[in-house]
Amino acid sequence: MASPLAIEFASLSARLAPTVAVLAGEEVSLGATGRNVDEHAKGLLGKAARAAGFTGKARTAIEILAPAGVDAERIILAGAGRALGEYDRLRLGGFAYAQIAGRKVESASLIADLADPGETSPETLAADLAFGALLRSYSFDKYRTRRNNGNETEGEAPRDGLRRLIVHCASPDAAAKAFASRRAVAEGVFLARDLINEPANVLGPVEFAERLSDLARPDLSVEVLDEEQLRAHKMNALLAVAQGSARPPRVVVLQWHGAKSKRAKTLCFVGKGVTFDTGGLSMKPAAGMEDMKGDMGGAACVAGLMLALAGRKAAVNAVGLVGLTENMPSGTAQRPGDIITSMSGQTIEVLNTDAEGRLVLADLLWYAQERFKPRFIVDLATLTGAIMVALGKEYAGLFANDSKLAGELAAAGEAIGEKVWRMPLAKAYDKLIDSKNADMKNIGGRQAGAITAAQFLQRFIKETPWAHLDIAGTAMDSGRNEINQSWGAGWGVRLLDRLVADNYEKGEK
Ligand code: BES
Ligand code: MN
Ligand code: ZN
């Protein structure tokens, strides 16, 4: 990893670093501390803003060098716009971070003070800004031996600058406390990003499982099922995907025990972990195939979520299951037309070996229900190209058999900026995957590809409340923004952490 950025909280009167970021709201409105700086500098901030045409709009900034009357060498005025919502605050923190880091300084002060903070407490503002800055600071550069490959346009250069960010606010102790849980979530996001960004030669099923084994700690158990155990469980659908690869599959079960009540039912999260998807014998075209190193984005999210829940000691019992395999063509690979018997006993005619994610999930979902009798299951999978045709990269597809769970996910997504859009499930679509030769086939027709994939998964759900997130569009390469500059965004960690925090912890405490 990933982010050596150290974050500290200090009072508004504490000594400032030579580089200071001040937040300016609409019409360059400043908080009390900003006004104070401006007074010492004899109105320079306002004057500079007018000269530059800076109005305090979000995602704009100006730099004032060597201001007279104050100690700072440089003041960055960062536009806050109307930073009212939680996600706005994260983005503002990320934007301020980028403005500072672009100046190549080692340490800097960020004054967490707004003219109009609305309902937001000073410590929440400070902690959210710090969280946004931390998320933005991540970069995946472990394989870059030179800073500049002669190509400045390939993402942000490896960070050579900012190591320490001091966030000044009215109550630094309270802010530090509020930040602790956010830091734990950031660590989960970074784990997910690292796993997604890692190339498939380095990260196969075995290596992925090893990385998860390293997460074990009190109350977070990690269990790795090897090929023999998967066979004993009759996970033949998952094994059919793996059989073409020289690298053996793994299933990893992570369990977090944080609930106070003994009767608390387990929350269950399941992730597709295809460490590389060639399509198998139904092979994908060469162009863009490299992106299929990210076909384990669902599993990465589940891993990151479990780390986040453990890190902030969430008051729930949760289990995370990931199905890890490659999808490769070879003399041992499954063939189109093969019929396999899944763990559930239902038979599947494999008409396209590139529709492999649903095969992996079929057995995992069944296993999850048999073993844990969970309160709900949320699965995440980079499942279909079709979901991108429908929703692009802004929203992940949400399919659910339970409107309460669907509503909770949608609300969590709106709050933290990882949005989901509910798609239909219905009998009429289910018919599209009936097979003449087996209980079902693994592809529908040309139409409704993301829906028929979800219908397929639903055939492995019993009575359990269940939601499926098709994250093919959001897990990787989903547009860089204020809080993420990485190809693998770690999408879903913050969403599911919020789902848990807002809906499943309160009664448990
Ligand atoms: N992993 C892919 C889906 C995918 C495509 C994710 C592009 C991210 C970016 C999945 O295994 C797949 O190949 N799906 C097929 C299903 C089809 C054969 C029914 C697809 O979407 O084309
Ligand atoms: Mn595929
Ligand atoms: Zn796939």
Side-chain angles (χ1 to χ4, degrees):
M1 221 187 329
S3 176
L5 179 67
I7 291 183
E8 295 161 29
F9 295 90
S11 71
L12 290 167
S13 57
R15 208 189 145 81
L16 299 172
T19 292
V20 181
V22 174
L23 305 176
E26 287 185 321
E27 290 163 39
V28 205
S29 54
L30 301 174
T33 313
R35 286 202 303 274
N36 199 316
V37 171
D38 195 33
E39 270 163 37
H40 281 285
K42 301 208 166 52
L44 178 61
L45 269 52
K47 220 166 143 185
R50 274 190 299 281
F54 172 80
T55 61
K57 225 175 86 186
R59 289 177 290 289
T60 63
I62 58 168
E63 179 182 31
I64 301 155
L65 290 172
V70 292
D71 284 344
E73 288 172 5
R74 128 197 310 126
I75 296 173
I76 295 166
L77 263 185
R82 300 164 138 274
L84 294 177
E86 177 177 354
Y87 185 48
D88 295 324
R89 295 193 290 276
L90 301 196
R91 292 165 71 188
L92 179 56
F95 177 73
Y97 168 87
Q99 289 300 312
I100 296 164
R103 265 79 195 184
K104 307 213 181 311
V105 292
E106 277 246 339
S107 64
S109 286
L110 167 62
I111 299 177
D113 190 14
L114 286 173
D116 178 17
E119 306 272 273
T120 312
S121 70
E123 57 267 26
T124 299
L125 173 64
D128 281 343
L129 291 171
F131 188 28
L134 183 58
L135 289 169
R136 173 66 179 248
S137 74
Y138 173 96
S139 67
F140 183 75
D141 47 30
K142 66 190 270 204
Y143 297 107
R144 289 180 67 171
T145 64
R146 278 169 298 173
R147 178 167 308 147
N148 183 349
N149 291 339
N151 184 356
E152 289 286 2
T153 60
E154 286 278 308
E156 287 186 350
R159 191 152 36 75
D160 55 350
L162 196 60
R163 299 194 178 285
R164 183 162 158 252
L165 182 66
I166 308 155
V167 181
H168 298 259
C169 62
S171 37
D173 291 343
K177 212 168 149 209
F179 182 62
S181 60
R182 290 166 175 78
R183 183 196 295 283
V185 177
E187 272 162 21
V189 174
F190 292 167
L191 171 64
R193 289 179 183 173
D194 279 349
L195 290 166
I196 296 168
N197 288 325
E198 198 69 65
N201 60 328
V202 175
L203 195 79
V206 172
E207 295 81 11
F208 195 125
E210 276 167 5
R211 290 217 191 170
L212 298 199
S213 298
D214 293 343
L215 301 179
R217 64 196 64 189
D219 296 325
L220 180 65
S221 69
V222 185
E223 197 182 329
V224 178
L225 308 184
D226 65 17
E227 198 169 355
E228 205 179 311
Q229 289 163 298
L230 302 183
R231 220 170 285 288
H233 286 303
K234 300 197 167 67
M235 292 200 197
N236 296 326
L238 190 157
L239 287 164
V241 176
Q243 76 189 38
S245 172
R247 301 156 105 179
R250 294 285 185 265
V251 165
V252 182
V253 183
L254 301 133
Q255 292 187 68
W256 164 246
H257 298 285
K260 304 284 178 287
S261 150
K262 285 224 163 60
R263 287 172 298 127
K265 273 185 121 182
T266 301
L267 316 181
C268 183
F269 301 93
V270 172
K272 169 182 174 182
V274 174
T275 57
F276 196 78
D277 180 13
T278 66
L281 288 177
S282 313
M283 201 188 284
K284 290 184 180 297
M289 200 201 274
E290 65 275 14
D291 282 357
M292 287 300 109
K293 73 171 184 177
D295 207 19
M296 26 57 71
C301 173
V302 168
L305 172 71
M306 296 305 288
L307 181 62
L309 294 178
R312 67 172 184 80
K313 301 206 182 312
V316 292
N317 291 341
V319 53
L321 290 127
V322 298
L324 303 167
T325 174
E326 279 193 317
N327 187 23
M328 299 290 274
S330 76
T332 60
Q334 64 175 338
R335 295 147 288 256
D338 283 4
I339 295 176
I340 54 188
T341 304
S342 67
M343 181 183 179
S344 73
Q346 298 177 92
T347 57
I348 304 162
E349 184 178 23
V350 179
L351 290 183
N352 188 317
T353 64
D354 197 12
E356 86 297 341
R358 63 198 76 181
L359 302 178
V360 173
L361 288 174
D363 282 344
L364 271 188
L365 291 171
W366 194 262
Y367 177 76
Q369 293 164 98
E370 294 272 285
R371 179 164 169 195
F372 295 105
K373 312 260 177 297
R375 178 153 174 200
F376 67 67
I377 297 180
V378 177
D379 80 66
L380 300 100
T382 47
L383 204 63
T384 68
I387 199 64
M388 281 187 271
V389 177
L391 299 175
K393 288 178 161 282
E394 282 303 312
Y395 283 77
L398 162 65
F399 300 83
N401 65 2
D402 184 277
S403 288
K404 178 174 166 284
L405 182 57
E408 291 166 356
L409 280 162
E414 289 296 331
I416 60 88
E418 291 178 341
K419 293 181 290 188
V420 299
W421 195 263
R422 192 165 181 186
M423 304 280 287
L425 290 165
K427 265 245 149 53
Y429 294 113
D430 191 61
K431 288 204 181 72
L432 300 176
I433 54 170
D434 283 336
S435 161
K436 287 206 174 68
N437 301 314
D439 295 336
M440 68 195 90
K441 49 191 183 186
N442 76 331
I443 51 171
R446 257 171 25 86
Q447 298 172 348
I451 304 174
T452 50
Q455 292 291 161
F456 182 97
L457 299 182
Q458 193 176 20
R459 291 192 178 201
F460 298 87
I461 296 293
K462 303 178 212 180
E463 304 287 277
T464 316
W466 159 74
H468 155 60
L469 296 171
D470 193 333
I471 60 171
T474 53
M476 49 210 172
D477 202 18
S478 56
R480 314 296 193 264
N481 61 30
E482 287 81 18
I483 59 168
N484 175 52
Q485 291 291 312
S486 155
W487 182 78
W491 192 97
V493 175
R494 290 186 305 114
L495 171 71
L496 297 179
D497 178 71
R498 179 53 57 93
L499 169 78
V500 171
D502 278 358
N503 304 289
Y504 297 92
E505 280 187 77
K506 301 218 164 83
E508 298 288 346
K509 275 186 174 148

